[in-house]
Amino acid sequence: MGFLNSRVRPAMLAIGVAAAVVAVPAAAHASTSDSFHVFSRSFVEDPATHTVSLPLHTGYVAGKPVSYVITDASTEKAAEALGVNFAPRLANARGTAAVQKATATPAGLKIPATVDFTPSRVVVPGPTGFPPDQAVPGAEAQPGYSSLLQLPDGTVINAPQIANASGQADKVVTIDRKHGRVVYRETDGFYDHQRVHYVSFEASIPLTAALENAADVPALNAAPADDDSTGVQPAREEIGIVTNGQLGKDNPQRQGLSSALLDGLDPLNILGEVPENDPASEYSPLWDANLAQWTPAAVTAGQVKRVTDFDDLRALAGKGLITAPDGSKFGRSGFLINCPAISIAK
């Protein structure tokens, strides 16, 4: 989740052309800083500004242009052509309400629904930070909208819309129509004790959309979860979100939603997987949220610390130090966040 992004609303213009899955121009290369490896070649990261530049695409909803980016694809072929993350689990969302079917036209993809970017985001911290006293998203999905698009060949891509005639996403820094690029704000997190950068576009409930400074997209929650009782193959992967970690901007143990709300910094969430070029990869940009709350006993005993690996969260829960926010067993919280991974510390 990211919290440090002001609203920018320049005039919206038609940008670029994309008829379907098209190759990324040769001039677009992934950046690799001295300390971070960027996962995909179309992502150009700027560590100094904590942003990433992504290729810009144009589609059409009811005949009107919409701008979107592509970050992930369900097939290796499409991921390679687009220079984006390979996310095979996205294929498991086909046939659900979490996917819009796109139609290819000479001008670009014809897409059923879009996003209303006109609302103003409101977030007011609560007495302890989280939960907030107020949380109103800055963008709302139209009925039927989802960032997941099924292309005519069956490929599912993650294509969040970031601008249309109503405005643009709050985390957009610039849209360069001439060169076909979008600069978007990143968020810090962890995976396997390593720092990672990712971007947040959407969430499936208003509270999280407001905290993420992202669009509220209820349809995402129709993406299937891992369910051993039914054998359903998941389209999601897990993310751990601490609610009540330590506070303080300069505190090396700082983490969590309360810190994000009171300190104005990223909550340092813990990703379950990152992209890899493997058909068996469990990575997905659809993060199945697992809210983690330190127990009163853990707080009193001074056992609260920064957690940087998802397995460590499970272990702490097994010891009775972490629960769900309502005191029940730590596990899936029932909502999704669309957070494609961008880079990982070397």
Side-chain angles (χ1 to χ4, degrees):
M1 297 184 179
F3 297 84
L4 303 179
N5 303 292
S6 59
R7 191 167 194 80
V8 183
R9 294 180 183 271
M12 176 59 205
L13 298 175
I15 308 166
V17 174
V21 173
V22 294
V24 171
H29 298 289
S31 61
T32 302
S33 70
D34 291 339
S35 57
F36 278 81
H37 165 69
V38 179
F39 291 118
S40 296
R41 63 183 173 86
S42 74
F43 306 162
V44 181
E45 190 172 56
D46 183 354
T49 60
H50 202 37
T51 61
V52 62
S53 170
L54 304 167
L56 180 68
H57 300 268
T58 297
Y60 294 86
V61 175
K64 297 180 180 179
V66 297
S67 297
Y68 64 94
V69 297
I70 304 174
T71 59
D72 309 87
S74 65
T75 67
E76 287 182 276
K77 180 179 179 181
E80 174 58 29
L82 291 161
V84 299
N85 296 332
F86 177 36
R89 282 193 170 188
L90 290 182
N92 298 326
R94 281 197 297 256
T96 72
V99 177
Q100 297 190 89
K101 286 189 176 181
T103 304
T105 74
L109 290 179
K110 182 180 178 182
I111 303 168
T114 188
V115 178
D116 179 6
F117 292 110
T118 59
S120 294
R121 173 179 177 253
V122 178
V123 174
V124 179
T128 60
F130 184 85
D133 283 344
Q134 279 187 278
V136 179
E140 295 280 351
Q142 289 184 346
Y145 170 82
S146 171
S147 57
L148 301 186
L149 298 182
Q150 181 174 326
L151 302 176
D153 69 352
T155 299
V156 177
I157 58 174
N158 186 29
Q161 294 182 27
I162 51 85
N164 58 28
S166 72
Q168 65 183 42
D170 289 351
K171 288 185 177 178
V172 168
V173 179
T174 60
I175 298 177
D176 184 345
R177 295 183 294 276
K178 180 178 179 181
H179 298 100
R181 306 290 297 187
V182 178
V183 175
Y184 200 86
R185 297 189 188 277
E186 293 182 313
T187 302
D188 284 328
F190 289 102
Y191 166 75
D192 193 21
H193 307 296
Q194 296 172 283
R195 291 177 61 202
V196 293
H197 296 153
Y198 61 91
V199 285
S200 301
F201 290 104
E202 300 160 347
S204 65
I205 61 172
L207 169 63
T208 308
L211 296 182
E212 289 281 353
N213 204 359
D216 178 23
V217 183
L220 284 178
N221 220 32
D226 198 351
D227 190 338
D228 293 335
S229 66
T230 63
V232 170
Q233 295 300 304
R236 317 177 182 200
E237 184 44 67
E238 293 180 299
I239 189 169
I241 304 172
V242 174
T243 61
N244 62 336
Q246 291 193 35
L247 306 177
K249 291 183 178 181
D250 299 321
N251 180 358
Q253 295 298 318
R254 182 198 72 78
Q255 185 175 40
L257 297 180
S258 288
S259 171
L261 286 161
L262 296 176
D263 297 325
L265 299 171
D266 294 336
L268 305 177
N269 297 328
I270 307 120
L271 279 61
E273 294 289 344
V274 293
E276 54 184 328
N277 294 321
D278 183 349
S281 170
E282 296 181 344
Y283 164 76
S284 171
L286 304 183
W287 294 106
D288 207 350
N290 290 243
L291 292 180
Q293 181 163 294
W294 291 94
T295 63
V299 174
T300 300
Q303 294 177 294
V304 176
K305 61 182 179 179
R306 178 179 288 180
V307 184
T308 58
D309 180 75
F310 199 90
D311 286 339
D312 288 352
L313 270 184
R314 290 195 180 100
L316 289 163
K319 294 176 181 178
L321 299 174
I322 280 178
T323 66
D326 63 0
S328 62
K329 183 179 178 181
F330 170 70
R332 295 201 301 262
S333 299
F335 63 90
L336 293 186
I337 315 165
N338 182 1
C339 293
I342 299 298
S343 65
I344 187 167
K346 295 179 182 178

